[in-house]
Amino acid sequence: GQQVMQIPQYQHVQEGEDFTTYCNSSTTLSNIQWYKQRPGGHPVFLIQLVKSGEVKKQKRLTFQFGEAKKNSSLHITATQTTDVGTYFCAGQTYKYIFGTGTRLKVLA
Amino acid sequence: GAGVSQTPSNKVTEKGKYVELRCDPISGHTALYWYRQSLGQGPEFLIYFQGTGAADDSGLPNDRFFAVRPEGSVSTLKIQRTERGDSAVYLCASSPPGSYEQYFGPGTRLTVT
């Protein structure tokens, strides 16, 4: 069946360093969404990408959707302690499949 | 405004019992999703409603799981003959018409002993 994998599983960075998580789908996606889940919290929507090769920015966050619409990435520039949490991608074919998540820890 | 609410926040039940989990979506949201999330994992899709009908129930693991949304608003996830493997956080999300953005509730933590 359809699978969505994310790497890395965990990432520890010093505050101020950059961070990137990668999302790969076994099948072509209609669109992809990114969510952030703080420890003990629920997923919070960040963004949706629809077009092949699309790039969107939100302040220090940059999201990309691959040309083949099978992969995506989230890059955070100059991480802050408030960036701590697990970042999930969710790819849609006919339903949403969430990735395995990347847990980010930021060391002050 | 009010977000998605879920009740109860925690539910402890014995193996073999029946449980109902409730989701109140954001007013006006037509799409409603149920997921379950185990520790350290991403949300696992269970079922998706568009209005009153289940548009996609392919994620329900077996026939012990059933969900309804009779009036197109509140939804109830029903689990019969609970098993220890059903223990997880059950998340509900809703989306407004014309949008794919999912607004998640705080979840119900189900523990089957």
Side-chain angles (χ1 to χ4, degrees), chain A residues 2 13 42 48 79 94 96:
Chain A
Q2 181 191 359
V13 299
H42 56 272
Q48 175 171 287
T79 54
Y94 60 95
Y96 281 99

Side-chain angles (χ1 to χ4, degrees), chain A residues 6-8 10-13 16-22 34 60 62 74-79 83 85-87 102-106:
Chain A
Q6 281 182 253
I7 55 171
Y10 300 97
Q11 184 82 59
H12 294 185
V13 299
E17 291 182 339
D18 292 356
F19 159 77
T20 305
T21 173
Y22 300 91
W34 284 91
R60 295 180 294 104
T62 302
L74 158 59
H75 179 82
I76 302 178
T77 303
T79 54
D83 296 326
T86 302
Y87 292 85
T102 296
R103 185 174 300 174
L104 172 65
K105 286 194 175 181
V106 180

Side-chain angles (χ1 to χ4, degrees), chain A residues 9 31 33 35 37 40-45 48 88 90 92 94-101 103, chain B residues 33 35 37 39-45 48 56 58-59 91 99-107:
Chain A
Q9 188 175 5
N31 62 75
Q33 297 181 343
Y35 291 81
Q37 187 171 23
H42 56 272
V44 175
F45 177 83
Q48 175 171 287
F88 292 101
Q92 185 191 28
Y94 60 95
K95 64 185 179 185
Y96 281 99
I97 304 294
F98 275 74
T100 46
R103 185 174 300 174
Chain B
Y33 305 81
Y35 296 87
Q37 187 174 27
L39 192 62
Q41 303 293 316
E44 173 194 3
F45 171 83
Y48 156 56
D56 183 355
S58 62
L91 294 165
S99 170
Y100 291 111
E101 180 175 342
Q102 298 181 58
Y103 295 79
F104 280 83

